[in-house]
Every structure is written in C-alpha cells, then in structure tokens.
Amino acid sequence: MVRHDSGNIGVAGTCRVIAAAITFAPLPNMATTHTVDCNAGEKIQDKLALARPGDTIQVSGTCSENVAIFSEVVRVTLDGQGKTVIQAPPKGDGFFIRGREITVKGFTITGGRDGIHLSGVAAGASANIVGNTIRKTGRHGIHLDHSSVGRIAGNTIEDVHASGIDVAEGSVARIGYLLRPLGHGPNTIRNAGEHGIVVTRGSSARIVGNAIENNKGSGVFVTRNSQADIFGNSISGNAGNGITASHNAGVNLDNEDQLFNL
C-alpha cells in the first residue's frame, strides 16, 4: 500500500507540471501596424520607439523631421503609402538608418543632407529602399557607409546636390532589384550634381536595369578598390563617361548568371 500511494503521488505530480507548462507558455508575438498622421502633429520618431520586429509604421501627411532608426530596431517597415512627404530639416538626413532589415517605401523625400543614409557603425545596417522619390537633397540621394547593405529598387532620384546613390566604405548594394524572387525594379537617377552612382572605398554593387541620365558627372563611377557588375542599364546624356573605373576598380559588363532576362 505504501508503494502504491507513492506511485499515485508521482503521477499526480507529473500531471501538475505539464498543466503548469501549458498554462504559462508565452503567446507568439503579433505584428502591429502603427499609424502616424504628420498633418496632425504626430512624429514618426515617436512610433519607432514602440515598434517591434515585424511591425509596420504607416505614415501620411507632410512630415518635417529627421528620422533616426537606431541599431536595436530590426525588421520594421516604414510605409509612406505613396502619399507622404518628408521635408527634412537641413542639418540631418531624411532617414538615418543603423537598424537591420529595415524597409522604407512609398515616400517623397526632399531637403536634408542625404535623403536616406545607411550607416553600419554598430551592427551593420541593412535596408530595402523601394518605390520612393528623392529629390533636392543637400548631398546624396541615398548614401551607404561602414559596411552597410542596401537593396534599392523602383526609386526616382533627381536634382540632388552630389551623387544619386553613393556606396562607400565596404558597403554592398543591389541597385535595380531586391532579392532574386522579388524580381526587377529599375531606378531612375537623373540630374544629379555629380555622378549618377558611385561605388568607392572597397565597396561592391550590382547595378541592373536602371535609367541613369543627364547627371553632371559619369553615369556610374567605380573607384578605389571597388567592384561593380553593370548590365542592362540605360545610361545616357551624362556630362562624364557612361561608366568610369579608376584606382584599382573592377567592372563586369556581362550578365554571367542570367540574373534577369533584360
């Protein structure tokens, strides 16, 4: 009888442990959509402080702010819905990104220093930059530095003071497409005050299917130990060369892996 009672206690104890595990198991994180109405005085920066991985921030109106996305922000989408204007104050960038796997899409960005600036100083910034219009910035339209990774597709970059896209300091860019399954999304880069696209200081880029025209320097300028694959683009009307390579740079003009049938 003693052994039988002891066995019952053991079974009951096991049942209680299982029930507790089921009762207190955490619920999965659910993605949240946050909204920002800049015309009502709301700020994108305030909602970024609340965002968790997988969240989307939908923005509307005209926003006068420099938006900083810090390194702890991961997998957040900022969606201008094709109707939001960022009028960036002159001393900062429209979007300054140190986070990882950030998506910025559907904005018109004017003013500021760079329209979108990725800087990988902390943990390697990375972003999808899709379907934006960037114009009349104080320096570059899009700038990557400090080993950042940018996937840049479907944007119009025009009338910026320096270069349309500047890839620097060991950064990597896909310009004209995102990841392979998402296909081709050409950018239009025109009327830049310097080169259309610059790849410099040990960086690399694949530049596919873009329209690069009427810039005051070269269409594409690859320099200082950098490398670029350049194919399927329309490059015309630039004041410099269509493509310039200098200072130990390498350029490949063949679609060797048939990335797209252009």
Side-chain angles (χ1 to χ4, degrees):
M1 290 297 293
V2 173
R3 283 194 294 271
H4 182 266
D5 291 343
S6 180
N8 285 340
I9 291 169
V11 172
T14 301
C15 291
R16 283 195 294 271
V17 170
I18 293 171
I22 294 171
T23 300
F24 295 105
L27 294 172
N29 292 328
M30 302 297 290
T32 300
T33 297
H34 309 268
T35 60
V36 177
D37 182 354
C38 291
N39 291 343
E42 296 178 343
K43 297 292 186 182
I44 300 171
Q45 197 70 57
D46 294 338
K47 294 298 173 73
L48 274 167
L50 304 175
R52 298 293 180 264
D55 285 2
T56 295
I57 300 174
Q58 286 187 344
V59 188
S60 62
T62 298
C63 313
S64 297
E65 59 179 312
N66 305 116
V67 181
I69 303 172
F70 300 114
S71 57
E72 60 267 24
V73 180
V74 179
R75 290 194 298 108
V76 169
T77 295
L78 295 104
D79 185 0
Q81 307 177 83
K83 59 183 181 182
T84 301
V85 176
I86 304 291
Q87 292 181 343
K91 292 186 178 181
D93 305 307
F95 289 94
F96 178 68
I97 300 173
R98 283 187 171 169
R100 289 175 288 118
E101 295 306 310
I102 306 301
T103 296
V104 177
K105 65 179 183 177
F107 290 90
T108 295
I109 304 167
T110 65
R113 189 166 180 253
D114 298 324
I116 299 176
H117 179 177
L118 275 69
S119 186
V121 173
S126 59
N128 299 310
I129 302 170
V130 188
N132 303 283
T133 298
I134 303 171
R135 60 167 63 102
K136 296 183 178 178
T137 60
R139 193 174 68 158
H140 307 303
I142 298 172
H143 174 59
L144 284 68
D145 62 27
H146 287 92
S147 302
S148 297
V149 177
R151 297 176 286 271
I152 303 167
N155 303 280
T156 297
I157 303 168
E158 58 189 7
D159 302 319
V160 299
H161 184 74
S163 296
I165 299 174
D166 186 71
V167 185
E169 297 178 337
S171 296
V172 178
R174 291 181 171 96
I175 302 173
Y177 71 104
L178 304 176
L179 298 175
R180 186 189 296 261
L182 300 179
H184 185 221
N187 301 282
T188 298
I189 304 159
R190 60 193 176 206
N191 303 323
E194 295 179 3
H195 309 292
I197 298 172
V198 175
V199 187
T200 185
R201 298 186 183 279
S203 299
S204 65
R206 302 198 79 187
I207 302 168
V208 181
N210 305 280
I212 307 167
E213 55 195 26
N214 300 322
N215 301 290
K216 291 184 172 58
S218 295
V220 181
F221 187 72
V222 187
T223 187
R224 297 186 182 277
N225 301 299
S226 297
Q227 190 275 334
D229 299 328
I230 305 171
F231 55 87
N233 303 279
S234 173
I235 304 175
S236 64
N238 300 285
N241 299 315
I243 300 170
T244 298
S246 71
H247 294 83
N248 296 315
V251 171
N252 171 45
L253 302 177
D254 292 327
N255 185 7
E256 292 177 339
D257 61 359
Q258 297 300 305
L259 180 64
F260 296 105
N261 294 320
L262 298 176

